Amino acid sequence: MRHFAVVGSGPAGFYTAEALEKAYGEQARIDILDRYPVPYGLIRFGVAPDHQSLKAVSKRYDKVAESAGVDFIGNVSVDGDVSVAELLDLYDAVILATGAPHDRKLGIPGEDLPGVIGSGEFVGWYNGHPEFADLDPFLNGTHAVVVGAGNVALDCARILSKTRVEFEGSDIVGHALDALDNSSIRTVTILGRRGPHQVAMTPKELGELGHLEAAVPEVDLADFPPVEADEPLEPGLRKSVTILRSFADLPQGKPKRMVFDFFAKPVRIEGEGRVERVVVERTELDEQGGARGTGDTYEVPASLVITAIGYSTSPIADVPFEGGKFVNDAGRISDRLYAVGWARRGPTGTIGTNRPDGYEVAEQIASAMPAGSSGDKEGAEGLKRLLTNRGVMPTDYDDWRKIEETEVANARPGSPREKFVRPHEWMSVLGR
Ligand code: NAP
């Protein structure tokens, strides 16, 4: 028998557990650990609440969690309650699937002013992440700036622009829905430091913006190269650029504007006691396709700034870490220690990208310790004993089902669930 610990219950963790289960069958026990009592990581706390079809992938993860060789062990913080070294003593291999929850910093003056927040914080707030339940983003001004030209920037801009009715069917948490409903933000400016041909926004996500009830996207066609220049672009990007161009033809006149400002690099954030404006430098593309400042600057008013410029992984004691992720060679960090997903590759790719990633690492493990071979590790039994000695109360998959049932029962009409946002609420459902 082999024992494997997968640390993190987001997509990367679940695909890896699925792959290990397939590779070993009854020859392995796989424990998926999470610091929260509830599973699914990015699916629960990252994917936009109005993108329920993307969240449906958790049904597949349910099947993995329900399979005989896999257990969910929640409410256990690796590096807090138990160390990686201790897990390596208890398990044949440890796979870090801890994602990339920390916002990258812009590294410009004024970034720490009140009113400047990272997309991870904002997304966590509207998705019911317990760490950000009290974020209280400032929505009483009129102008928000979102920095970045990726899909997370689009999520943030769209959520800021939707009406209450447009959140029907979503699982946005009640506190965020009420705050957004009362928001006085009327303009959201999206700052891309390069041009329309360099966006990291995908067509489906851009396309949604043309159909918002109260907001209309705006572009300046002067930012675009001649239309013939779109021809050699990779098809997905070409589609995105075509959609962006089409925004120029949309009738204006809705109460809210979503302004795409390209070749616009923030150089300073200013305000008396809180953010009031972003000073932006006009850029042009350099020979390598990077953003080169032209020296021309201008101001964009901002009562709220959300930076959506990527994420980094949380470091873990004694695990080599560089450039925002664990140092690894094709997923292998060191003997019996691996990384998958964003903790391995950095914060890129879709949910599905994590599947081949997890399967590849599972294959490596299976070739290092073939199915049928056995080790001398104790696995979950030893872990639970250690946790009990430390006063940690782990949750299991049945506990999660109880929490889920209560969240579903608490849902407002039309919504799939009303999430609990505080750990003590989760635990009180379990009578603990
Ligand atoms: P991303 O796709 O890497 O985009 C980050 C953006 O930030 C880029 O436009 C980048 O510009 C910009 N940026 C980076 N550093 C900057 C700086 N110092 N100043 C100004 N701009 C800066 O990252 P993401 O939006 O966080 O998304 C992460 C991953 O999740 C992506 O693969 C994304 O597609 C995926 N995702 C998918 C969905 C969906 O499918 N619905 C939703 C959300 C996220 P440069 O290109 O110039 O570096």
Side-chain angles (χ1 to χ4, degrees):
M1 179 64 73
R2 293 287 182 180
H3 295 273
F4 299 120
V6 176
V7 182
S9 68
F14 265 99
Y15 286 122
T16 306
E18 181 186 89
L20 286 169
E21 224 259 333
K22 281 196 180 149
Y24 285 87
E26 290 173 2
Q27 298 298 313
R29 302 233 30 112
I30 301 141
D31 293 331
I32 306 176
L33 277 57
D34 203 290
R35 59 200 280 236
Y36 292 113
V38 298
Y40 308 137
L42 181 95
I43 303 297
R44 181 178 172 103
F45 296 126
V47 171
D50 56 344
H51 283 169
Q52 287 297 313
S53 57
L54 288 178
K55 287 187 190 258
V57 72
S58 65
K59 296 277 168 268
R60 177 178 178 146
Y61 306 156
D62 282 333
K63 290 215 166 59
V64 177
E66 283 161 3
S67 56
V70 177
D71 280 317
F72 172 69
I73 305 181
N75 205 30
V76 176
S77 156
V78 171
D79 217 20
D81 300 322
V82 58
S83 69
V84 166
E86 286 169 325
L87 287 180
L88 284 167
D89 280 344
L90 291 165
Y91 289 88
D92 291 288
V94 175
I95 303 101
L96 303 177
T98 48
H102 298 297
D103 288 299
R104 276 192 197 139
K105 299 294 261 180
L106 276 169
I108 60 173
E111 194 171 8
D112 296 324
L113 277 174
V116 183
I117 56 177
S119 56
E121 297 173 276
F122 184 61
V123 170
W125 171 74
Y126 62 64
N127 266 330
H129 192 297
E131 246 174 70
F132 307 113
D134 297 318
L135 181 73
D136 196 17
F138 186 74
L139 302 174
N140 295 336
T142 54
H143 201 138
V145 166
V146 179
V147 183
N151 280 330
V152 172
L154 287 187
D155 279 348
C156 294
R158 185 181 73 255
I159 295 290
L160 282 171
S161 306
K162 277 196 164 179
T163 61
R164 192 175 191 99
V165 171
E166 286 173 295
F167 284 114
E168 267 174 23
S170 81
D171 65 350
I172 189 167
V173 291
H175 66 226
L177 181 61
D178 291 340
L180 288 163
D181 198 22
N182 290 321
S183 161
S184 46
I185 303 278
R186 290 295 169 267
T187 305
V188 179
T189 300
I190 300 172
L191 296 179
R193 67 175 166 181
R194 299 188 288 156
H197 274 195
Q198 288 76 37
V199 293
M201 300 162 166
T202 45
K204 185 168 167 289
E205 284 61 35
L206 275 169
E208 282 177 78
L209 305 182
H211 309 282
L212 295 175
E213 185 179 283
V216 65
E218 285 178 39
V219 292
D220 181 350
L221 285 180
D223 287 337
F224 290 69
V227 73
E228 308 79 68
D230 297 356
E231 202 49 43
L233 295 176
E234 173 275 315
L237 179 57
R238 191 166 66 227
K239 214 165 171 187
S240 289
V241 175
T242 304
I243 294 168
L244 279 166
R245 283 185 194 277
S246 74
F247 290 163
D249 301 326
L250 290 174
Q252 298 296 310
K254 290 185 180 174
K256 298 181 188 176
R257 305 166 63 213
M258 190 184 290
V259 180
F260 284 83
D261 193 357
F262 290 110
F263 298 107
K265 180 176 80 164
V267 289
R268 213 163 50 245
I269 301 177
E270 294 179 341
E272 283 300 313
R274 58 167 301 105
V275 60
E276 291 172 30
R277 71 196 79 83
V278 180
V279 179
V280 173
E281 182 177 16
R282 195 47 83 207
T283 66
E284 58 192 11
L285 291 179
D286 64 19
E287 291 67 28
Q288 286 76 43
R292 173 172 56 209
T294 61
D296 286 345
T297 59
Y298 57 98
E299 292 178 358
V300 180
S303 45
L304 172 71
V305 173
I306 302 175
T307 58
I309 59 166
Y311 299 111
S312 61
T313 298
S314 301
I316 293 183
D318 301 327
V319 181
F321 184 87
E322 203 178 278
K325 57 186 194 305
F326 299 119
V327 178
N328 70 87
D329 180 9
R332 185 180 175 280
I333 299 174
S334 55
D335 187 32
R336 300 188 295 112
L337 181 62
Y338 298 84
V340 291
W342 284 6
R344 166 188 174 180
R345 314 186 310 271
T348 57
T350 62
I351 293 164
T353 314
N354 294 297
R355 189 173 181 275
D357 185 313
Y359 272 71
E360 191 187 326
V361 166
E363 258 172 47
Q364 279 189 56
I365 296 173
S367 64
M369 3 183 145
S373 67
S374 60
D376 57 358
K377 303 294 183 186
E378 234 188 317
E381 214 172 293
L383 175 65
K384 285 181 184 163
R385 194 172 55 242
L386 183 148
L387 294 172
T388 305
N389 289 341
R390 292 178 185 172
V392 180
M393 283 186 291
T395 56
D396 61 18
Y397 186 71
D398 288 341
D399 291 332
W400 154 240
R401 293 315 289 247
K402 275 185 212 137
I403 294 170
E404 189 184 35
E405 273 168 28
T406 315
E407 290 189 336
V408 169
N410 289 348
R412 57 186 176 270
S415 171
R417 65 188 66 78
E418 184 63 51
K419 291 180 197 166
F420 292 117
V421 297
R422 319 251 170 207
H424 73 83
E425 294 174 323
W426 287 321
M427 299 312 271
S428 74
V429 170
L430 305 175
R432 295 182 197 160

